[in-house]
Amino acid sequence: QVQLQESGPGLVKPAETLSLTCTVSGGSIRSYYWTWIRQPPGKGLEWIGFIYDSGNTNYNPSLRNRVTMSVDTSDNELSLNLRSVTAADTAVYYCARADQPSYSYYYMDVWGEGTTVTVSS
Amino acid sequence: DIQMTQSPSAMSASVGDRVTITCRASQDIKNFLVWFQQKPGKVPRRLIYASSSLQSGVPSRFSGSGSGTEFTLTISNLQPDDFATYYCLQHDSYPHTFGQGTKLEI
């Protein structure tokens, strides 16, 4: 079955770019939609956005000007870039399988284990 | 953005109890509502999708209902393993939004 694993630097300096990768195994990355979610320490969950096959994305307006998602079909990997980070971007970042609009079956049924990112100088 | 409001924010219950958590949407989201369970330091786990469909492998004591703007998650015969934080999420409109969470304590 599909499994996800996030990776990336655990520490990012303020004003720099946070770059994370989510490796997809057990299925083709082109078969599904994908989403990123984050959770600041001690707080709730926030939807960052979704991506399908690189050209089809939708980002949370709260992050829209700073976030970019992409898909590498050759390596079966998703990428998340978040520019100009501040301490408020400190969180656990998760990737998850999503579903096409108006469908629910696969929507966030599989999650990666998450990767903790701290923004600090 | 659609606001998702969960109630209560926290509650205490006992093993064997039946509990209900409510999630209200600020506008009609049809049945595009998901419930998650999260334990401290763990990954959220999908319990219910499409408002009332039980995720494979989730015990049948979990059930979901509702459509439009009001939804409920019911846990019957609470077990020790059920004490956790529960989140709802709507995926009818962008941006998809989570409720603030309900912490269920012993």
Side-chain angles (χ1 to χ4, degrees):
Chain A
Q1 72 271 17
V2 170
Q3 293 182 303
L4 308 176
Q5 179 66 60
E6 304 89 346
S7 60
L11 182 65
V12 181
K13 289 182 168 53
E16 294 190 344
T17 296
L18 179 166
S19 295
L20 300 177
T21 298
C22 174
T23 302
V24 179
S25 59
S28 170
I29 202 167
R30 304 192 73 170
S31 298
Y32 304 101
Y33 283 63
W34 306 96
T35 189
W36 289 89
I37 306 103
R38 69 181 184 177
Q39 185 170 35
K43 296 189 177 180
L45 299 159
E46 179 182 27
W47 180 82
I48 298 172
F50 88 80
I51 184 166
Y52 175 68
D53 211 17
S54 270
N56 190 348
T57 56
N58 192 298
Y59 303 136
N60 194 320
S62 67
L63 300 169
R64 179 174 289 154
N65 292 336
R66 299 194 292 131
V67 66
T68 304
M69 296 178 185
S70 61
V71 167
D72 183 337
T73 55
S74 58
D75 287 338
N76 236 32
E77 290 181 343
L78 312 168
S79 294
L80 170 71
N81 284 330
L82 184 63
R83 297 176 290 279
S84 304
V85 298
T86 69
D89 296 310
T90 294
V92 178
Y93 285 77
Y94 298 100
C95 56
R97 182 164 64 177
D99 213 331
Q100 55 186 307
S102 300
Y103 285 78
S104 302
Y105 188 76
Y106 295 117
Y107 191 80
M108 291 196 191
D109 66 333
V110 177
W111 292 58
E113 293 197 355
T115 186
T116 300
V117 177
T118 300
V119 178
S120 175
S121 56
Chain B
D1 299 5
I2 295 178
Q3 306 302 314
M4 303 300 292
T5 304
Q6 287 183 233
S7 59
S9 296
M11 64 184 300
S12 57
S14 301
V15 173
D17 284 354
R18 174 187 171 101
V19 300
T20 298
I21 299 169
T22 297
C23 186
R24 289 187 173 84
S26 59
Q27 62 191 71
D28 186 352
I29 60 168
K30 307 172 193 69
N31 72 333
F32 294 108
L33 192 285
V34 183
W35 289 100
F36 298 94
Q37 176 194 65
Q38 187 179 34
K39 297 178 181 178
K42 300 297 185 183
V43 180
R45 171 196 183 194
R46 191 175 80 165
L47 300 175
I48 302 286
Y49 64 97
S51 177
S52 59
S53 296
L54 188 68
Q55 174 69 29
S56 174
V58 173
S60 59
R61 62 180 181 273
F62 290 91
S63 63
S65 65
S67 67
T69 62
E70 187 149 340
F71 302 84
T72 58
L73 173 70
T74 300
I75 313 171
S76 304
N77 188 23
L78 264 178
Q79 296 300 299
D81 191 50
D82 299 338
F83 292 95
T85 299
Y86 294 84
Y87 293 95
C88 62
L89 167 127
Q90 68 82 18
H91 63 106
D92 176 65
S93 299
Y94 297 113
H96 298 171
T97 44
F98 289 90
Q100 80 278 17
T102 295
K103 188 173 185 179
L104 176 57
E105 298 177 305
I106 300 176

